[in-house]
Amino acid sequence: MTQALRVESRSDGALVQAVLRGEVEAYGELVERYQDEYTRFAVRMLGTREDAEEVLQAAFLRAYRALPRCREPERFGAWLWHIVANECRTRATRRGRRERRFVRDEALLAAAVAPAVSDGDALEVIAQALDALPQDMREAFVLKHVEERSYEEMAEITGAGVSALKMRVKRACARLRELLEDFDG
Amino acid sequence: MADHHGTDTGSDAAFAARVAAPLRAAERLEPGFRERVMRQVRREGVPGVTALPVAVRPRRGAPRWLTGAGLAAAALAGVLLGRAAPPRAPTAASVARPDTVYVVKFVIAAPAAGTVALVGDFNAWDKQATPLRPTSQPGIWSVSLPLAPGRHEYAFIVDGGEWRADPAATRVLDDFGTESSIVTVGPAEVMRAT
């Protein structure tokens, strides 16, 4: 007779407490649980998967060192969002506009008017336009429309007020309309 | 539907949805990400449990005690009075002699608390490291400890879980969204200048 072994995954709070009690390997479960959740955001903010991975490694390590300061271990994911957003902001600021991933490719943008634009081309075109936005507008647009966060969640992640975030999203849309005239309905 | 800015939010939403659709494509990290993080985690050991170096040698005689400026109705921080130092540019770390010990007294009013601990950058935010003791005044807790000259962030942990910044001290919101308090340690002329 075989017996199925039920392994119940521990909550975020239980894993955080386990790490603080000395069970360092428990942090690996938190990494596994959350590593994909922020990858898309980091790639959209920074432009490349390589930069995103560096920032996510830094964010997970920063969170690890600051675990004693995590006031609500059950909300580790939300706390980590804040750290990831900060790391992306810091990296983007350090990189500066001189090292932007994209040079505005007029030919590619012009080609976007062609009726048969592939999904890959559409992503490239839109990613170019996104990269041209100021960082705070890019962050607000990605959180709202790509990550589909509520304004209250965005306020917690970014530390900005809801009104400011709404304005940033609105301005991001306006700027993207200018950059992507031919995508506008 | 228009918002108070006079723009058509309906078409904004439709535009944003069309632009965002390709951006919602999933992105994946290279395999082995977890192991790359954990390799560093294992090197660092348990967070918040590191021995602090003894950074200063006491001068001959008793160390200078820096005491609180009196109790307020709410909590208060240890306010710092430094020992005299030769006149120099007033930055705490640059003015303080390397063998100067500054002992800071932290005081808080927490009448309903069972335990109070001090956490800060000087004890790796370890809530086991620096418990406060009840004083002879009911509801008042305190602890004194030596701190290196310079700026320090700290907070109190009440009953093992409640994070409490010092209402009588300068506060700062750190990168993690947590509110902590600031104390600057140094000679008197530095304190007057800051």
Side-chain angles (χ1 to χ4, degrees):
Chain A
M1 184 174 77
T2 57
Q3 203 170 27
L5 182 66
R6 237 177 58 164
V7 178
E8 295 196 0
S9 61
R10 290 182 277 184
S11 68
D12 286 2
L15 289 169
V16 169
Q17 296 304 334
V19 173
L20 295 176
R21 282 194 306 267
E23 191 190 327
V24 161
E25 293 300 319
Y27 195 69
E29 292 188 49
L30 287 167
V31 175
E32 193 78 42
R33 189 171 289 178
Y34 286 105
Q35 65 181 48
D36 290 335
E37 182 154 332
Y38 312 108
T39 303
R40 182 177 62 188
F41 171 78
V43 172
R44 299 296 173 248
M45 288 301 298
L46 300 170
T48 70
R49 213 168 288 135
E50 292 72 27
D51 282 353
E53 166 150 351
E54 280 184 33
V55 158
L56 289 171
Q57 271 203 41
F60 273 105
L61 287 170
R62 200 148 172 252
Y64 180 74
R65 291 166 192 145
L67 266 186
R69 299 173 72 177
C70 179
R71 294 170 66 179
E72 296 176 275
E74 285 299 336
R75 299 189 67 234
F76 174 82
W79 184 68
L80 185 56
W81 248 123
H82 190 91
I83 298 170
V84 168
N86 260 330
E87 286 290 330
C88 285
R89 236 175 271 133
T90 304
R91 172 65 61 102
T93 303
R94 271 195 215 131
R95 190 177 67 187
R97 297 190 72 78
R98 283 175 298 172
E99 298 175 35
R100 279 167 50 197
R101 180 172 84 94
F102 295 105
V103 173
R104 186 175 160 87
D105 188 332
E106 300 294 348
L108 186 58
L109 285 167
V113 307
V117 175
S118 70
D119 287 348
D121 283 346
L123 178 56
E124 184 76 6
V125 167
I126 293 170
Q128 274 204 28
L130 197 62
D131 192 62
L133 294 181
Q135 188 182 302
D136 59 349
M137 284 164 48
R138 181 164 69 246
E139 179 186 64
F141 183 87
V142 171
L143 283 172
K144 181 63 187 163
H145 291 296
V146 180
E147 299 301 326
E148 299 180 285
R149 298 281 147 176
S150 69
Y151 280 110
E152 289 68 31
E153 288 171 324
M154 289 165 63
E156 193 178 358
I157 291 167
T158 64
V162 167
S163 299
L165 289 164
K166 287 181 176 177
M167 183 56 64
R168 289 176 196 174
V169 171
K170 177 172 285 298
R171 287 179 180 156
C173 288
R175 184 73 186 114
L176 286 169
R177 279 183 196 275
E178 292 170 14
L179 292 166
L180 297 168
E181 301 175 76
D182 300 298
F183 273 75
D184 189 1
Chain B
M1 181 178 75
D3 67 6
H4 68 282
H5 296 287
T7 56
D8 183 347
T9 58
S11 85
D12 254 5
F15 169 76
R18 286 172 51 234
V19 168
L23 297 173
R24 289 195 200 113
E27 298 283 353
R28 292 278 180 264
L29 297 168
E30 292 295 315
F33 176 81
R34 170 183 173 161
E35 187 51 32
R36 288 191 286 282
V37 172
M38 290 307 294
R39 230 177 278 140
Q40 181 61 27
V41 160
R42 289 179 198 115
R43 265 187 233 127
E44 296 189 10
V46 181
V49 184
T50 50
L52 291 175
V54 177
V56 297
R57 284 171 292 125
R59 291 176 67 79
R60 189 180 300 180
R64 179 78 174 180
W65 288 86
L66 312 171
T67 58
L71 294 174
L76 57 86
V79 175
L80 313 168
L81 306 172
R83 73 167 66 218
R88 292 191 221 173
T91 57
S94 65
V95 176
R97 302 168 68 114
D99 56 352
T100 300
V101 176
Y102 293 94
V103 181
V104 180
K105 186 173 185 178
F106 293 86
V107 184
I108 186 170
T115 62
V116 182
L118 177 69
V119 294
D121 53 28
F122 40 79
N123 66 5
W125 302 93
D126 180 0
K127 57 187 176 186
Q128 315 290 339
T130 314
L132 275 72
R133 302 263 184 266
T135 68
S136 57
Q137 292 175 271
I140 306 301
W141 302 71
S142 79
V143 68
S144 299
L145 71 163
L147 292 183
R151 180 185 182 276
H152 298 279
E153 285 186 35
Y154 70 96
F156 299 102
I157 306 287
V158 176
D159 291 335
E162 183 197 338
W163 182 284
R164 207 184 280 186
D166 191 329
T170 304
R171 298 200 198 189
V172 65
L173 203 60
D174 66 18
D175 291 343
F176 311 103
T178 306
E179 197 173 55
S180 302
S181 305
I182 300 293
V183 62
T184 306
V185 181
E189 63 268 31
V190 171
M191 306 316 304
R192 283 193 291 272
T194 56

